[in-house]
Amino acid sequence: MRIQHGFLFAFLAIAPSAYALEAGSPPVLTPLPQQGQAAHLSAQFLTRFHYRPVPLDDALSVKVMNRFIKSLDPDRVLFVQADIDKFMTVSTKIDDAINQEDLQIPFSIFNLYEQRVVDRMTYARSLLKKGFDFSVKEDYSLQRDKQPWPQSEAESNDLWRKRVKSDWLRLKLAGKADDAIRDTLDKRYQNSLERAYKYKSDDVFQSFMDAYTTSVDPHTDYFGATASAEFDISMKLSLVGIGAVLQERDDYTTIRELVSGGPAQLSGKLAVGDRITGVGQGETGPIKEVVGTRLDEIVQMIRGAKDSVVRLDILPADAGPDAKHRIISLVRDKISLEKQAAQKTILSVKDGDATRKVGVITLPAFYEDFEARRKGDKDYRSASRDVAKLLTELKQDNVDSVLVDLRNNGGGSLSEAIDLTGLFVGKGPIVQQRDASGKVDVESDDLAQPAWTGPMGVLINRGSASASEIFAAAIQDYGRGVIVGEPSFGKGTVQTVVNLDQVAHNAKPKFGELKLTVAQFFRVNGGTTQLRGVTPDISFPALSDPKTFGESSYDNALPWTQVKPANYVPDGDIKAVLPQLQSRHDARVQNDPDFQRFVQDVAELKAQREKGVISLNETERRNEMAAQAKRLKSREQINDGVDTSEDDGLQANERSLSADIAIEKARKSAKDVLLNEAAAILADEADLQATGPKTAAQRPAGTDGK
């Protein structure tokens, strides 16, 4: 179908619509010729070379339109139903727009979005002059992504009245005076208002291409010429900063990923999903609120000289509606390979009258010093090489078993995952990979004998992804060790980056880069790690929310599937002792007060996440907070000697009446409680294999699946 220019003109005419334009209109943005060309070239690649080609047709057009609208207004508080109705009249024309290199449709939608932001922020600021009556019994919905769009200006006004009232009440419950609340919120809304006037054509195009590429699959991305050039600098903060990948989500700058070995990850003070609401310089510099501020501006504020201090105002990822913010200090630093390197510790686990030693190898990433390897350095650093040395040391320490801790290890080098697996299973197939043509390759390790043949296990969580899942899956398929923790992320796909300017032979960068999915990983048993991830043999309670974190949280993730199993022979039979390991684990944690408190924390977090509506009545909210504080106090009183005086990073006036405290305690205790229980399971495994029948059989040499 072809776009009628007369219809397009009528569509563009909707921009100055229903609301009174008190603050004036932001500048109208128009697409650049090279943006249409880049979109068309990207479409050609995605329809021809993607692992699962999705035709650019009317069906995909509707998906792109819906995703584009959702990216602009995820909580359905800016557009009204009439806007959406008009958008949908051209929802099937996105494919034509891309093919004809005419992007007026998404740009006109974005222009209206800018105007809606101006209208709503102007209205929100006007409400601050009046104040609110918090004795009225009314509610506000926290989860509006599936709620109906406002039907009229009056309905939108009432929605925003409740939204601003909710913002005010949160600050009021945190102890702020009315004048301070008014000033804080006015600056916040002013930030969003000013932002509407700063958008550029590149911002619109990037948003539209994000909607297109992620409609194909969650891990396919587009980086415009500017975004491509700045990606490593801005998003990874040049690796001179806090070491975090940031993204915009619902006006908040959110932690998307913690770079292993970076200040943020090493501090333990930040987690994926945490929201940065303010940034300050130095130990005493004032905190500037950044809610509604452009991401690139926030990145510039966080970036700084090595060894300097940046202070962040954090709203935790799992925070309840009344959670206190916390101020954390981080020292900016470069991320070195040394800080990413594998480390070992030894935990002593009492087993009746005996004590078993469990060697714990913590691996934050599957790293490899590519530069040193390229230069021919025979002693170049890598994950598998470092772990091999640690295993030698653990043998000398006479440990009874080895636990590989892969929690929050997001992956890295595939070859390192294969080599690391070989340290425990020896020679044989490790992972299968299928490309878009359907060809399946079996990747194997050629180590003649494993470096460690004793009892072992792997500790994983939702943040264990990609290469971590390949390693854990192979250990599980070979029956080599016990997998404990929570289901892993579920990313079983392979991406490659295409430089569109090189393809088009452009002398200067203008088209950017396209990252597209080109292959999929499969376990040696034939199943894929995609979507389902690795399911632990013994499961722990999970802090993360599978609805918002993990492959299954994406509505268009590639499905789970399988191929023919590789030619491999399991070298162990961990399943034979799993029932006993499970029963021992169940009995132990049932009588472990620390573990049971962690279980309660997880249940509490889940309840907070699922709370879709909050009261705007001050008395009701204070009663809820008092009940929460009572539960926390009761928990501390039965802490059985555990030191509760440790600094939790909160300001002195933020320690009481805070659901956030439970979250932070859960995060901290999770590391110790779960690691200790995992070590106890490994001690059980060593005991059962030492006293029971042998569960491992020597695998025939030369079995490589080829």
Side-chain angles (χ1 to χ4, degrees):
M1 95 184 26
R2 301 187 65 81
I3 299 176
Q4 301 298 317
H5 291 288
F7 179 80
L8 240 186
F9 179 82
F11 175 69
L12 292 170
I14 70 172
S17 70
Y19 305 142
L21 308 183
E22 299 178 24
S25 299
V28 175
L29 299 172
T30 57
L32 303 175
Q34 63 262 32
Q35 291 169 344
Q37 296 165 7
H40 190 196
L41 183 57
S42 297
Q44 291 177 307
F45 264 91
L46 292 176
T47 54
R48 295 179 186 177
F49 304 114
H50 191 275
Y51 177 71
R52 187 185 63 175
V54 179
L56 181 58
D57 55 15
D58 289 358
L60 183 61
S61 292
V62 174
K63 291 180 180 179
V64 174
M65 175 66 83
N66 287 329
R67 201 171 294 272
F68 184 52
I69 294 171
K70 184 175 182 178
S71 71
L72 299 178
D73 190 8
D75 292 328
R76 301 190 173 191
V77 294
L78 296 173
F79 294 127
V80 294
Q81 186 62 54
D83 298 332
I84 304 303
D85 292 342
K86 290 179 180 178
F87 297 159
M88 297 316 292
T89 61
V90 291
S91 61
T92 59
K93 302 183 188 300
I94 296 294
D95 55 335
D96 304 284
I98 293 175
N99 287 326
Q100 296 177 8
E101 302 179 0
D102 182 355
L103 302 181
Q104 290 295 334
I105 291 177
F107 271 77
S108 62
I109 292 173
F110 196 94
N111 284 325
L112 179 57
Y113 158 75
E114 287 183 290
Q115 187 61 62
R116 289 289 177 263
V117 172
V118 171
D119 297 337
R120 295 298 85 199
M121 291 304 108
T122 302
Y123 179 69
R125 296 180 74 194
S126 72
L127 293 173
L128 299 176
K129 302 173 184 177
K130 305 173 184 178
F132 299 95
D133 180 3
F134 295 108
S135 65
V136 177
K137 289 196 173 185
E138 59 180 348
D139 297 327
Y140 176 68
S141 175
L142 294 172
Q143 301 172 0
R144 282 200 44 82
D145 57 322
K146 293 181 174 60
Q147 296 290 322
W149 299 92
Q151 298 295 311
S152 63
E153 180 181 3
E155 190 174 322
S156 181
N157 285 345
D158 189 60
L159 175 63
W160 273 90
R161 178 189 64 80
K162 290 183 177 180
R163 185 181 177 111
V164 177
K165 185 176 182 179
S166 176
D167 288 345
W168 188 299
L169 182 55
R170 289 186 185 187
L171 295 175
K172 183 179 178 69
L173 294 174
K176 286 199 172 186
D178 285 354
D179 287 345
I181 293 173
R182 186 174 285 108
D183 183 59
T184 297
L185 293 181
D186 189 62
K187 288 180 179 178
R188 179 179 299 179
Y189 303 148
Q190 177 67 17
N191 282 345
S192 295
L193 186 63
E194 292 176 351
R195 183 179 179 180
Y197 291 88
K198 295 180 179 179
Y199 283 118
K200 303 173 184 177
S201 177
D202 284 345
D203 297 317
V204 187
F205 182 58
Q206 185 68 54
S207 295
F208 171 68
M209 289 301 292
D210 286 344
Y212 173 30
T213 56
T214 55
S215 293
V216 175
D217 96 275
H219 303 292
T220 291
D221 293 301
Y222 172 81
F223 303 104
T226 302
S228 177
E230 288 291 320
F231 181 74
D232 284 334
I233 297 175
S234 298
M235 305 306 281
K236 291 290 180 70
L237 307 185
S238 277
L239 299 186
V240 182
I242 65 172
V245 181
L246 310 177
Q247 68 177 357
E248 293 180 2
R249 178 178 290 178
D250 306 341
D251 284 336
Y252 285 103
T253 295
T254 304
I255 305 295
R256 176 180 174 182
E257 175 189 337
L258 295 178
V259 181
S260 60
Q265 187 262 337
L266 293 174
S267 73
K269 297 177 181 179
L270 283 175
V272 172
D274 282 353
R275 291 155 285 182
I276 300 173
T277 62
V279 180
Q281 306 301 327
E283 294 284 2
T284 59
I287 301 290
K288 179 180 179 181
E289 175 155 319
V290 295
V291 178
T293 303
R294 284 177 58 103
L295 178 62
D296 54 356
E297 294 178 11
I298 296 173
V299 166
Q300 290 292 340
M301 295 170 67
I302 295 176
R303 185 190 301 170
K306 185 178 183 296
D307 296 328
S308 62
V309 173
V310 60
R311 290 160 63 237
L312 304 178
D313 188 335
I314 298 296
L315 181 62
D318 293 313
D322 300 319
K324 306 289 185 179
H325 293 219
R326 32 185 200 95
I327 309 297
I328 69 170
S329 296
L330 296 172
V331 178
R332 300 179 176 102
D333 196 5
K334 288 186 177 181
I335 300 173
S336 64
L337 188 62
E338 188 68 32
K339 293 177 181 177
Q340 291 182 312
Q343 296 180 341
K344 73 174 175 72
T345 55
I346 297 177
L347 297 180
S348 296
V349 180
K350 285 195 173 184
D351 182 14
D353 295 331
T355 298
R356 292 195 178 274
K357 296 165 68 175
V358 178
V360 179
I361 295 178
T362 303
L363 187 67
F366 286 84
Y367 54 88
E368 183 178 8
D369 190 341
F370 294 103
E371 183 66 19
R373 182 180 180 180
R374 185 184 63 81
K375 292 179 179 179
D377 184 351
K378 294 182 180 180
D379 295 321
Y380 70 89
R381 298 289 299 274
S382 76
S384 61
R385 286 181 164 216
D386 288 347
V387 170
K389 293 177 182 177
L390 296 180
L391 288 173
T392 299
E393 295 174 10
L394 290 173
K395 285 180 183 178
Q396 296 171 349
D397 294 326
N398 294 317
V399 298
D400 296 287
S401 56
V402 171
L403 174 68
V404 181
D405 187 352
L406 295 182
R407 287 176 296 174
N408 300 317
N409 181 323
S413 167
L414 171 62
S415 62
E416 283 303 305
I418 294 170
D419 290 345
L420 189 74
T421 308
L423 295 177
F424 296 94
V425 303
K427 188 174 184 179
I430 305 300
V431 65
Q432 303 184 86
Q433 191 172 168
R434 183 172 69 181
D435 63 20
S437 69
K439 179 185 176 184
V440 177
D441 287 325
V442 179
E443 303 282 352
S444 300
D445 188 72
D446 58 4
L447 188 64
Q449 294 293 331
W452 176 261
T453 59
M456 64 88 60
V458 186
L459 177 58
I460 59 174
N461 66 1
R462 196 67 168 175
S464 306
S466 194
S468 290
E469 296 175 289
I470 290 172
F471 174 78
I475 295 298
Q476 191 174 55
D477 290 345
Y478 275 102
R480 180 63 186 84
V482 59
I483 312 299
V484 297
E486 59 180 301
S488 60
F489 191 92
K491 183 182 182 296
T493 54
V494 185
Q495 285 73 39
T496 190
V497 176
V498 176
N499 187 312
L500 298 178
D501 289 305
Q502 290 181 1
V503 173
H505 305 292
N506 292 332
K508 296 182 179 179
K510 64 177 182 177
F511 285 173
E513 295 180 330
L514 182 68
K515 184 182 76 173
L516 70 160
T517 300
V518 294
Q520 185 171 353
F521 289 127
F522 291 85
R523 304 166 64 136
V524 291
N525 72 0
T528 180
T529 54
Q530 170 63 18
L531 195 62
R532 298 181 186 176
V534 177
T535 302
D537 299 311
I538 296 179
S539 295
F540 289 166
L543 272 173
S544 57
D545 183 5
K547 295 179 182 177
T548 59
F549 185 46
E551 193 76 8
S552 60
S553 68
Y554 301 119
D555 59 8
N556 65 333
L558 268 65
W560 185 92
T561 186
Q562 56 188 340
V563 296
K564 182 180 177 181
N567 183 16
Y568 78 106
V569 179
D571 72 345
D573 187 15
I574 193 68
K575 291 184 179 179
V577 297
L578 278 181
Q580 292 169 280
L581 290 177
Q582 184 71 58
S583 62
R584 289 190 183 191
H585 160 71
D586 292 341
R588 183 169 45 246
V589 300
Q590 191 65 36
N591 298 310
D592 183 346
D594 290 334
F595 198 94
Q596 289 307 312
R597 280 193 288 273
F598 173 66
V599 172
Q600 293 172 15
D601 288 339
V602 170
E604 192 171 298
L605 292 181
K606 183 178 179 181
Q608 289 178 5
R609 284 194 292 255
E610 294 177 351
K611 188 176 181 181
V613 176
I614 58 170
S615 170
L616 296 181
N617 180 278
E618 183 177 356
T619 301
E620 291 181 2
R621 290 278 281 278
R622 288 195 182 278
N623 288 340
E624 291 175 2
M625 293 172 66
Q628 169 69 16
K630 185 177 181 180
R631 288 194 297 272
L632 290 175
K633 186 175 182 181
S634 175
R635 181 103 31 102
E636 290 174 355
Q637 288 175 343
I638 60 172
N639 217 3
D640 291 341
V642 176
D643 181 12
T644 59
S645 63
E646 180 185 354
D647 180 18
D648 56 15
L650 297 173
Q651 299 298 306
N653 64 344
E654 295 181 341
R655 297 180 189 277
S656 62
L657 304 180
S658 174
D660 190 28
I661 296 178
I663 294 166
E664 292 309 303
K665 284 182 178 292
R667 283 183 180 172
K668 286 186 175 182
S669 65
K671 291 185 177 180
D672 295 331
V673 171
L674 300 186
L675 181 60
N676 289 339
E677 177 53 28
I681 293 171
L682 266 290
D684 288 341
E685 181 188 359
D687 177 58
L688 291 171
Q689 292 192 12
T691 59
K694 297 297 181 182
T695 58
Q698 183 64 40
R699 189 155 44 88
T703 304
D704 60 4
K706 299 285 185 171

